[in-house]
Each structure stands twice: as C-alpha cells, then as structure tokens.
Amino acid sequence: MTARVLVVDDILPNLKLLEARLTAEYFEVLTVTNGADALKICADGRCDIVLLDVMMPGMNGFEVCRRLKQDPATSHIPVVMVTALDQASDRVRGLEAGADDFLTKPIDEIALLARVRSLSRLRLVLDELRARAMRSAKLKIADPLAKAMDGGGARGRVMLVDDRRSSVEAMSGALRADHNVEVEIDPRAALLRGGAGDLDLFIVSLGLAGYDALRLCSQIRSLERTRHIPVLAVAEPEDRDRILQGLDLGVNDFILRPLDRNEFVARVRTQVLRKRYADCLRENVEASIEMAVVDPLTGLNNRRYLDGCLADLVDRAVRDARPLSVMILDIDRFKAVNDAYGHEAGDRVLKSFAARVRKLIRGGDLFCRLSGDEFVVVMPETGLDAGAMTAGRVRAGVAAENFIIAADRPAIQVTVSIGLAESADDAPPELLRRADKALYLSKQRGRNRISANSGRLGAAPFGGMRETAIF
Amino acid sequence: MTARVLVVDDILPNLKLLEARLTAEYFEVLTVTNGADALKICADGRCDIVLLDVMMPGMNGFEVCRRLKQDPATSHIPVVMVTALDQASDRVRGLEAGADDFLTKPIDEIALLARVRSLSRLRLVLDELRARAMRSAKLKIADPLAKAMDGGGARGRVMLVDDRRSSVEAMSGALRADHNVEVEIDPRAALLRGGAGDLDLFIVSLGLAGYDALRLCSQIRSLERTRHIPVLAVAEPEDRDRILQGLDLGVNDFILRPLDRNEFVARVRTQVLRKRYADCLRENVEASIEMAVVDPLTGLNNRRYLDGCLADLVDRAVRDARPLSVMILDIDRFKAVNDAYGHEAGDRVLKSFAARVRKLIRGGDLFCRLSGDEFVVVMPETGLDAGAMTAGRVRAGVAAENFIIAADRPAIQVTVSIGLAESADDAPPELLRRADKALYLSKQRGRNRISANSGRLGAAPFGGMRETAIF
C-alpha cells in the first residue's frame, strides 16, 4: 500500500535518509524542515501520513502534533513522532499531543515501513467515509467532526484478553478510572463477547498460553461484527517479528512490556478516540441518508419514501391476495390557521396532528406527510370496512380535543377530512387518485368527514364512491 | 491484511493444502467441496474472497462464478479461479464469467498470497461504501446495484501508458471497438491527464524506458484525483517480483506478454466494470445525502437546508456590513387549485411556479420550498429597495402568464403574495417572522402584492411595515 508521506525534520541528512528509504519503497515523499511548513501542507490536504521529528527549533514536534490534532481539518492525519530519546515520558507527552506512534532514532527501517504501511491501510477506509461525511457537512446537514472531537477518548468499553493474572490486574487498574474494562481469558469467548456489544477496543496479550494471539487478531479483523474494533497488542521486546506481522494483519497499535502505565493509558485513549471518530463518520453518513426520506417538521416519512414503498406494498398485497387500503388526510381550512395565527402556530398544529394520528393507527401502517397539511396512511392487511373504522377513529380523535397553538392563546379546534380507497389491482398512482377523489367528496359534503372509494364500480367519475357514516 | 477466504475444490488434498497455507498466513479459511455449498456461503455473506476450482463434478467453476457475479447480493465478492490448465482460452472463459484472476496449478504460493492480500485490501473500501449504499437501497431511495450492473464494462475511457509503438498499436487495436483509448508515452503527462478527466482505467507497461513504471503506479494510487482509478499492468513473464510488488502497491490486475488478445479485452472489461461499480456506490451515497436537503417535487432546496444556511448567510452579512433581504412567497388561493383540479394539477403548478421564479431571481439567491405552496428566497447583498424590485419582478412574472395544469384543460391564472424583510441584526427566526408578517399584510390587502418590513421601527406589531407599490 502506498501513500503520500510528509517527513518533517530540521536536519537535512535525516530528511534525506528517510526520503530515500521511503521513496525506494514507492511511497510519495514530501519533505519540510519546520513545523509551520508542515502545518500548511497538512491543511492543504497534500499528505496522508506525517513523520515528525520532535526536536526542532521554533515550533517543536509536540506542538506541531497538537495543532494538527486540534484542527478538525487535519485531525484525521496519522502522525508518527521520530525521537532521539527513548523515554516513556517523551512517548506519553507525544501521545497526549495526539501522536499515533513513535520511532526511536536510529530508525529501524523495517519497523518504520511496517508502521507506515499499516497507517496508510487504516487511512483508506477512513478517507472514503470522511469524503461522504464532509459532503453532508457542506450541505449543512450535520457537523460530524465537532461531534467526533467530543468526549476525548474516555469512557470506552475495553476488553482485555490476557491469561496472566498479575498482568491483568496491572492493566485493569490503570484503565479502570477512565474506562469500562472487561477481562477475558479465553480468546474464543473474547471474540464472541466482543462481537455482541458495542466494544471500543480489544487489548490482546501476544503471550497467550495455548493460543496464537495473532490468530485472534486476524479473527477480530475478519469477522463482520468485530472488524471495526481496534486492537492494541501487548508484546515482549523480543516479539519484534510478530509485532510486524500483527501490523500487517491489521493490529492498530502495540505496546511493549514492562508497561509504562502512562503510556499504556495514553495509547488506549488514542485508540478509543479513533474508534469513536470512525463511528461518528459512519453514523453521520447513515443519518444523512435517512434524512432524505424523513419530513423534518413532523418526523414522519415523506412523499419520496411513500413513492418508493407503495408499489412494493401493493405488489405484496396482490401476490398474497390480501387487502390493502390507503387514506389521504387533509386538515380542514388549515390555511386559515396559518393566516390567523402565523406559521409557527401552523407548524405546531401539524406536529401535534401527526403525533395524535400516529397513536390512532397501527404500528404497521405507513404514515407519511405528503406536503403542507396533507398526509397519507397506507394500511396493509386492511379492507375498506376496517379502513373506514380506522379513519373514523382518526377523524373523531382529531376533532375531540383542541390543539394548542401558543402558550398565551386558547387552543383551537381542528378537523380533518379523509378520503379512503382500497387497492383493486390498480397501480399505486391510480389508487392514490381514487383516495384523493374520495377526499374531495368529503370536502364538498362539508368537511370533517370520511368518504370511501371501493374502486369496484368502474372508472366513471366518483364511481364506487360512498360516503361512510361519521363514526 | 486478513480476510475470510472460501476455498472450493472437490479434491480433498488440494483443499487441505490451500487451507494450511492460508491459515499459516492468518487468513480465516472456509472449505467446501462443491459449487452449491459455495453459493450458499457467499449468499450468507460469510466470506470475502473465493478461490474456486474450475474442474468439479456437477456445477463447474465457470458456472459457480457466473452465478455469483449475476446475483447483485454476491457480485462484489472477488473470485480467483484455480485451474490445472494454463490456456488463454480457459482464462478468457473465466474472465467472461466474471472471475477476477487465475492461478495455475501447481500453485505459486507467493503469487497466491500477494493476490489474496491485494484483493482483501481492495475489498475494504468497497465494503464500507456498499454498507452505506445498501442502507439507502433499504430506504427505497435508489437501487445502486441495478445501475452498477448496467453497461457491462464497455465504453470505458482507458489510458494506455506505453512507449513501444508496436505494443501500443496492438493494444489500442484490441480495445478500440469497445472503449475510448488514449495513448501517453510520458508517465508524468499520463498522471496529469488521467487526473483531469473521468478516466476508467490506466493500462501501464512495466517496461517503460527511462522511468520506473511502478513509481507511476504508486503515484496513481497516492494522488487524490487518481486514487480511485484502477491500474492494469502489462508485464513480461520474468517481471514476477515486480508484479508482486505492484500488487502490494495497489495495482489491480496484470497481464503477461505476449498478450492474448481475448484475455486482454476481458481483463480490461473486468476492471472497467469494477470501477463503475465503485463509482455507482459512491454516487449513490452522495445522492442520498443530497436528497436530504432537496424537495423532490420542485428540485429546490428544502426547509432543512434553509435552516442550515440562513444563519451563516446572515452572520456573513453582519460581519461584512452588507445588506441581506429575504422574501416569503405564498401562492394565492392555492388550496382552490388542488380542490378544483386535483393534486396532480396542483403539483404541476408548484413545479412551474418554482421554475418561473428561479428565472426571475439571481443565481446567487437561495431559493427554498418551505412547505406546500410557501417558498423563501434569501438575497445576499440586497437591501430592501433592491429586494422590492426583485419581488415586484417575481410577482409580475407569475401573474403575467397562465399556468398549464393539464393538456386538455385551459391554463389558469395564478398569483403570488410576497412578504419582504431586510436583516437588521436580528436572528434568522425573527427575520423570517418579520417577512411572514409582511406576507400576512399582502394577503390582508387583497393578495397579488408585496409588503415589506424594514425592521427599523421597533418591535410593535407591523412596526416598520410598508406596502410597496406593485411594480
């Protein structure tokens, strides 16, 4: 996997060395010698991964990292800090600034390449999601980044897979204050439990007795239910080859024993944060998609959804030889409400109307707002008589209690006219047209009433129409 | 990268050999001995990649592949056919059945692993997109798969990067009947041109003189504008190591010289088809997101979009000390149109109204349908007087020409009442409320007219209201 790697170092020979090594592996390399230039390139979206020297004159690496991670436009770019010292305290400082990993000079080239490859692979999916989510942010639907930056990686649900008691106790102790920690000794059980709930992180000891921990990591990555859950591997220094293999399998991060408590806490937080970020992007895209079929005022499905579903419902009714009825509801003289009390009052009536009708129909009925003051209820498994019963209940329920329009005004009476039609082998547009004709009859005959069109008396105007009793 | 690999072979030792090899590399392996079982596992979504033996009793590999690729639920799963014979004609037959690649027995294990790894990486992004697109299909917004299966990988825009004349001629000749082929000798120019348009495929000769073709492949994968474009590499048999490296860099497929014309054509078609499939998923998700802010009847933005944008536009006007006005438009006695002529006629009026008004306002104005027969136009850089000019033009333009409601009925006169308000440091809801009050005045005074609310005379009812002349 290739990627555009930005190398930031004030010392030219270091820069050239990394550039040559990465270029030989077919990465696209950009180099800069100071933090300000690095920030600019990241802000312009010109790189996928940053290798960042810590010790630089002017703005040091920690500060550059902090700024990258605080800016929603760049916070998703992985940062690997390159440091001359191998002090746990330095690593913690970097992790707290938001770094994704560390490499110590002199650089182990194989570890470097494994890490950069692993990060570029993780980036792939995130980029795709980000592009969609950014689209919805641009359309002002939602701001996924603002939400993703909240929380700060605390209160994660973390599963610890380790069979050494002392190690489990130390790790749980370090995390318990910030996270909800579960411990599992058996890797198979861990996989099952992890896939069942909304886990934020697996922490897997590579030294499990009697089970290859890399196998567990691979299974976590493969299973549909767990593949989005990050894995932090806990390894011994002599596990180097297995760590590299783990990165290749999709392990997100690793930490060496003996564990530095602060570093451990910081790495866990980083992974939980990244998981939440990806979750937010996914939720955001899904929510945007759902919005396309929901009327924002009433929360009902809209006409687009009705158009998409009605044909299927009618087809199914025909195929199973079951009845299906639709009713069109139109609030009587709604225009007068808007004119007399203003649109806010009108909107309030529409919302209350939708909520009230929702309670009077069945859960399986499809209730949509067509536009303005016009609504449709599609009732599967319902013939004209049963449909008229429901319509009567709705009409009476609406008229029974006045609608509140504002805190300081008296509630007003609202009534509804209803047109009902039963599906009779005609296409959905024709079915709706018949219900609409019945509605027109209800309006003509004085409103606040129900008319039904059985569709069985042919195509003459108002053929088969009958006015039902007002229940 | 790991994945769930399904191995299909009727000969047990073959099955066991592949299983052992893949398991050792931490792939999750499922094995079955016949095509029917393979189809079932794929339909259940239990595998990511299929290794499929050609020669099996009952349903052979070609048939299994064809069925997998014809079913929209499984067509995205990559299939690698494993064949005892290395005949170009077999490969073509498999490619035509939809196979993604071939391996010849005895299997070259390194090539196998490189290929499976490459396919599992390609799958990652596609899976993520598919999950979102399936969501919108479930909501009946669109059926991305039906569209993606159309076209069959023909009429692609293909760029051939090769500097050997005879090779270019042979390849162009083979593709010209089905595709739009462009040739580029210079790799840098290929990258620029490929990123500029809607290219479907790069075909890159690994034997370019004076330029490392793998570098070009890596650049194609890295650059934002080209990273979604597939790469088919053309290699010599002795290029084996570079082919494996290329797969690792993200090259999608390769073919060996001397080229078999039919195989070449089939591989190109497969890649173009896959590109289109991914494009369809992406477009589908984007379109679903856009739908959330678009009114389906008129194509105008909806209230959700207005709510998202108005605050920004008002803020910007305040910050730059520039005027901004809004008008609310309400079609006069629209209810009567619906009642007299039916909802279809009413919808037709709404669509024509939106189209007519769109032409009478500026391109930079934001025009939204609020609900039913009510619309809003937000006019940046516009004070009350200029706003009244525009409103006058809209009112006159609507009244000037009758609206067609049906082919067999006379066109009807429609008029619009307009309320206008200029932003005056008040929040967006208050600004809209003032415009709404002005609209109410227009209605009260007889409709088909414009009233404006400057907002400058304080908060008394109808404070600052003036009726403008009808232009």
Side-chain angles (χ1 to χ4, degrees):
Chain A
M1 210 44 236
T2 179
R4 299 168 303 173
V5 182
L6 173 65
V7 184
V8 191
D9 200 320
D10 60 314
I11 296 166
L12 220 57
N14 289 349
L15 215 54
K16 289 294 163 200
L17 189 75
L18 277 173
E19 181 180 21
R21 194 68 194 93
L22 290 165
T23 303
E25 295 293 323
Y26 293 103
F27 287 98
E28 297 303 304
V29 183
L30 283 164
T31 60
V32 294
T33 55
N34 63 72
D37 289 349
L39 291 175
K40 175 133 186 33
I41 285 176
C42 292
D44 291 348
R46 287 164 56 205
C47 70
D48 303 309
I49 295 171
V50 181
L51 295 187
L52 185 58
D53 186 36
V54 172
M55 304 282 277
M56 291 187 294
M59 202 188 306
N60 71 19
F62 296 130
E63 181 57 24
V64 175
C65 185
R66 195 169 300 115
R67 292 200 191 181
L68 284 175
K69 294 296 177 177
Q70 270 167 5
D71 182 351
T74 55
S75 65
H76 63 288
I77 304 175
V79 175
V80 179
M81 307 215 69
V82 182
T83 155
L85 302 161
D86 187 17
Q87 295 284 335
S89 60
D90 270 359
R91 288 200 296 271
V92 171
R93 215 177 140 195
L95 287 165
E96 280 172 354
D100 295 79
D101 198 17
F102 292 85
L103 291 167
T104 310
K105 294 177 189 173
I107 288 176
D108 172 344
E109 289 189 354
I110 292 174
L112 164 73
L113 293 173
R115 193 63 187 187
V116 171
R117 279 208 188 90
S118 146
L119 290 171
S120 35
R121 214 165 38 221
L122 294 172
R123 180 191 59 80
L124 270 186
V125 171
L126 218 56
D127 274 3
E128 195 66 49
L129 276 173
R130 253 178 60 81
R132 299 320 120 206
M134 287 303 96
R135 183 82 206 123
S136 80
K138 210 177 141 204
L139 292 173
K140 303 283 170 195
I141 296 169
D143 185 352
L145 295 179
K147 200 183 155 204
M149 307 288 281
D150 280 2
R155 304 250 54 85
R157 204 189 132 208
V158 175
M159 183 171 295
L160 208 50
V161 191
D162 194 349
D163 49 14
R164 273 180 288 173
R165 191 170 181 152
S166 62
S167 159
V168 164
E169 276 168 13
M171 290 197 277
S172 309
L175 298 181
R176 199 144 272 160
D178 284 336
H179 303 282
N180 179 356
V181 184
E182 298 171 41
V183 177
E184 188 55 73
I185 293 168
D186 177 20
R188 292 166 206 84
L191 201 59
L192 273 178
R193 278 176 61 193
D198 46 350
L199 197 65
D200 294 307
L201 178 65
F202 278 107
I203 300 175
V204 177
S205 164
L206 285 192
L208 295 177
Y211 197 89
D212 182 349
L214 284 185
R215 174 80 51 210
L216 173 62
C217 296
S218 156
Q219 287 165 332
I220 291 170
R221 269 300 145 273
S222 297
L223 283 183
E224 198 115 12
R225 289 181 173 188
T226 54
R227 56 172 61 156
H228 294 314
I229 305 172
V231 176
L232 171 63
V234 183
E236 306 288 341
E238 60 271 25
D239 282 337
R240 183 172 173 284
D241 287 351
R242 297 185 72 222
I243 289 169
L244 297 183
Q245 200 170 9
L247 284 174
D248 191 47
L249 289 176
V251 167
N252 300 66
D253 194 14
F254 57 87
I255 184 168
L256 296 183
R257 297 185 201 265
L259 292 187
D260 176 84
R261 184 186 169 111
N262 291 329
E263 180 184 348
F264 178 60
V265 168
R267 287 195 190 266
V268 168
R269 190 169 49 227
T270 298
Q271 291 305 321
V272 170
L273 196 61
R274 297 214 146 231
K275 162 71 159 42
R276 298 245 168 100
Y277 179 76
D279 284 352
C280 271
L281 291 181
R282 238 171 240 121
E283 278 165 26
N284 172 272
V285 173
E286 304 242 310
S288 304
I289 291 173
E290 309 237 347
M291 275 186 203
V293 295
V294 173
D295 167 50
L297 181 69
T298 60
L300 298 179
N301 281 120
N302 58 16
R303 173 166 215 142
R304 186 184 280 131
Y305 190 73
L306 178 74
D307 289 346
C309 285
L310 187 56
D312 280 2
L313 291 171
V314 168
D315 282 352
R316 196 180 310 160
V318 170
R319 195 189 58 213
D320 302 345
R322 303 293 306 164
L324 175 143
S325 297
V326 301
M327 53 179 170
I328 301 191
L329 302 85
D330 193 295
I331 300 178
D332 295 325
R333 298 200 171 86
F334 179 71
K335 192 83 184 160
V337 175
N338 272 337
D339 290 347
Y341 308 104
H343 281 283
E344 278 168 83
D347 284 355
R348 197 153 171 185
V349 168
L350 290 170
K351 281 167 86 163
S352 309
F353 175 84
R356 205 182 285 184
V357 173
R358 161 66 63 218
K359 285 188 200 144
L360 296 166
I361 59 176
R362 290 173 311 181
D365 295 340
L366 174 62
F367 183 21
C368 301
R369 182 179 178 202
L370 272 194
S371 77
D373 53 348
E374 205 184 17
F375 299 80
V376 166
V377 180
V378 181
M379 300 175 285
E381 301 287 329
T382 306
L384 210 57
D385 290 333
M389 291 280 290
T390 305
R393 203 162 57 229
V394 167
R395 189 211 59 77
V398 169
E401 198 184 328
N402 288 356
F403 284 71
I404 294 168
I405 51 166
D408 54 353
R409 284 170 177 272
I412 59 169
Q413 165 134 55
V414 171
T415 60
V416 63
S417 294
I418 300 180
L420 188 68
E422 181 178 355
S423 170
D425 288 340
D426 45 2
E430 182 54 29
L431 175 62
L432 288 176
R433 213 170 285 131
R434 287 195 287 114
D436 209 29
K437 278 184 186 165
L439 171 64
Y440 181 74
L441 205 66
S442 292
K443 292 280 186 188
Q444 268 200 327
R445 294 187 177 175
R447 301 188 173 83
N448 188 23
R449 66 194 63 213
I450 300 155
S451 304
N453 183 323
S454 71
R456 290 194 186 110
L457 298 186
F462 304 118
M465 194 78 77
R466 58 173 170 148
E467 186 179 355
T468 69
I470 295 176
F471 296 93
Chain B
M1 209 47 235
T2 180
R4 298 167 306 172
V5 182
L6 173 65
V7 184
V8 191
D9 200 320
D10 60 313
I11 297 167
L12 219 58
N14 290 349
L15 215 54
K16 289 294 164 202
L17 190 74
L18 276 173
E19 181 180 22
R21 195 64 194 95
L22 289 164
T23 304
E25 294 293 323
Y26 294 104
F27 287 99
E28 298 302 306
V29 182
L30 283 164
T31 60
V32 295
T33 56
N34 64 72
D37 289 349
L39 290 175
K40 176 135 185 33
I41 284 177
C42 292
D44 291 348
R46 285 164 58 206
C47 72
D48 304 309
I49 295 170
V50 181
L51 294 188
L52 184 59
D53 187 35
V54 172
M55 305 282 277
M56 292 187 295
M59 202 187 306
N60 71 19
F62 295 130
E63 182 57 24
V64 176
C65 185
R66 195 171 299 114
R67 293 200 190 182
L68 284 175
K69 295 296 178 177
Q70 269 168 4
D71 181 351
T74 55
S75 65
H76 63 287
I77 304 175
V79 175
V80 178
M81 307 216 67
V82 181
T83 154
L85 303 162
D86 188 17
Q87 294 285 335
S89 60
D90 271 359
R91 287 199 297 271
V92 171
R93 213 177 142 197
L95 287 165
E96 278 170 355
D100 295 79
D101 200 17
F102 292 86
L103 291 167
T104 310
K105 295 179 190 171
I107 288 178
D108 171 344
E109 289 190 353
I110 292 175
L112 164 72
L113 293 172
R115 195 63 188 184
V116 172
R117 279 208 188 91
S118 146
L119 290 170
S120 36
R121 217 166 36 220
L122 294 172
R123 180 191 59 80
L124 270 186
V125 171
L126 218 56
D127 275 4
E128 194 66 48
L129 275 173
R130 253 178 60 82
R132 299 321 121 207
M134 288 303 95
R135 183 82 206 121
S136 79
K138 210 177 142 205
L139 293 172
K140 303 283 171 196
I141 295 169
D143 185 353
L145 294 179
K147 200 183 155 204
M149 308 286 282
D150 281 359
R155 304 249 54 85
R157 206 190 130 208
V158 175
M159 184 172 295
L160 207 51
V161 191
D162 194 348
D163 49 14
R164 271 181 290 175
R165 191 167 180 156
S166 61
S167 158
V168 165
E169 276 167 13
M171 290 196 276
S172 309
L175 298 180
R176 198 145 276 158
D178 285 338
H179 304 280
N180 179 357
V181 184
E182 298 170 40
V183 178
E184 188 55 74
I185 294 169
D186 177 20
R188 293 166 204 85
L191 201 61
L192 274 177
R193 278 176 60 193
D198 45 350
L199 197 65
D200 293 308
L201 177 65
F202 278 106
I203 300 176
V204 177
S205 163
L206 285 192
L208 294 177
Y211 197 89
D212 182 349
L214 285 183
R215 174 79 52 210
L216 173 62
C217 297
S218 154
Q219 286 164 334
I220 290 170
R221 269 300 145 274
S222 298
L223 282 184
E224 198 115 13
R225 289 181 172 186
T226 55
R227 56 171 60 155
H228 294 315
I229 305 172
V231 176
L232 171 63
V234 183
E236 305 288 341
E238 59 270 24
D239 281 337
R240 183 171 174 284
D241 288 350
R242 297 185 73 220
I243 291 169
L244 299 182
Q245 200 170 8
L247 284 175
D248 190 48
L249 289 176
V251 167
N252 300 66
D253 195 13
F254 58 88
I255 184 167
L256 295 184
R257 298 185 200 264
L259 291 186
D260 176 84
R261 185 186 168 109
N262 291 328
E263 180 184 349
F264 179 60
V265 168
R267 287 194 190 265
V268 167
R269 191 170 48 230
T270 299
Q271 291 305 319
V272 170
L273 197 61
R274 298 217 143 228
K275 162 70 160 43
R276 297 246 168 98
Y277 180 77
D279 284 352
C280 271
L281 292 181
R282 238 172 240 122
E283 277 164 26
N284 172 272
V285 173
E286 304 242 310
S288 305
I289 291 174
E290 309 235 350
M291 275 185 201
V293 296
V294 173
D295 167 51
L297 181 69
T298 60
L300 298 179
N301 282 119
N302 60 14
R303 175 166 214 141
R304 186 184 278 133
Y305 189 72
L306 179 74
D307 289 347
C309 285
L310 187 56
D312 281 2
L313 292 172
V314 169
D315 283 352
R316 196 180 308 160
V318 169
R319 196 189 58 213
D320 302 345
R322 304 293 306 164
L324 176 144
S325 296
V326 301
M327 53 180 173
I328 301 190
L329 300 86
D330 193 295
I331 299 177
D332 295 324
R333 297 198 171 89
F334 180 71
K335 191 84 184 160
V337 176
N338 272 337
D339 289 348
Y341 308 104
H343 281 283
E344 279 168 83
D347 284 355
R348 196 154 172 185
V349 168
L350 290 171
K351 280 167 86 161
S352 310
F353 175 84
R356 203 181 288 185
V357 174
R358 161 64 65 217
K359 285 187 198 146
L360 296 167
I361 60 176
R362 291 173 310 180
D365 294 340
L366 173 63
F367 183 21
C368 302
R369 182 178 179 203
L370 272 194
S371 78
D373 54 349
E374 205 185 16
F375 299 80
V376 166
V377 179
V378 181
M379 300 175 284
E381 301 286 330
T382 305
L384 211 56
D385 290 331
M389 291 279 291
T390 304
R393 205 162 56 226
V394 167
R395 189 209 60 75
V398 170
E401 197 183 330
N402 286 357
F403 284 72
I404 294 166
I405 51 167
D408 54 353
R409 285 171 178 270
I412 59 170
Q413 165 135 55
V414 171
T415 60
V416 61
S417 295
I418 300 180
L420 188 69
E422 181 178 355
S423 168
D425 287 342
D426 44 2
E430 183 53 29
L431 175 62
L432 288 176
R433 213 170 286 131
R434 286 196 288 115
D436 209 28
K437 278 184 186 166
L439 171 65
Y440 181 74
L441 205 65
S442 293
K443 293 280 185 189
Q444 267 200 328
R445 295 192 175 170
R447 300 188 174 84
N448 188 24
R449 64 193 65 212
I450 299 154
S451 304
N453 183 323
S454 71
R456 291 198 184 108
L457 297 187
F462 304 119
M465 194 78 78
R466 56 173 174 149
E467 186 180 355
T468 70
I470 296 175
F471 296 92

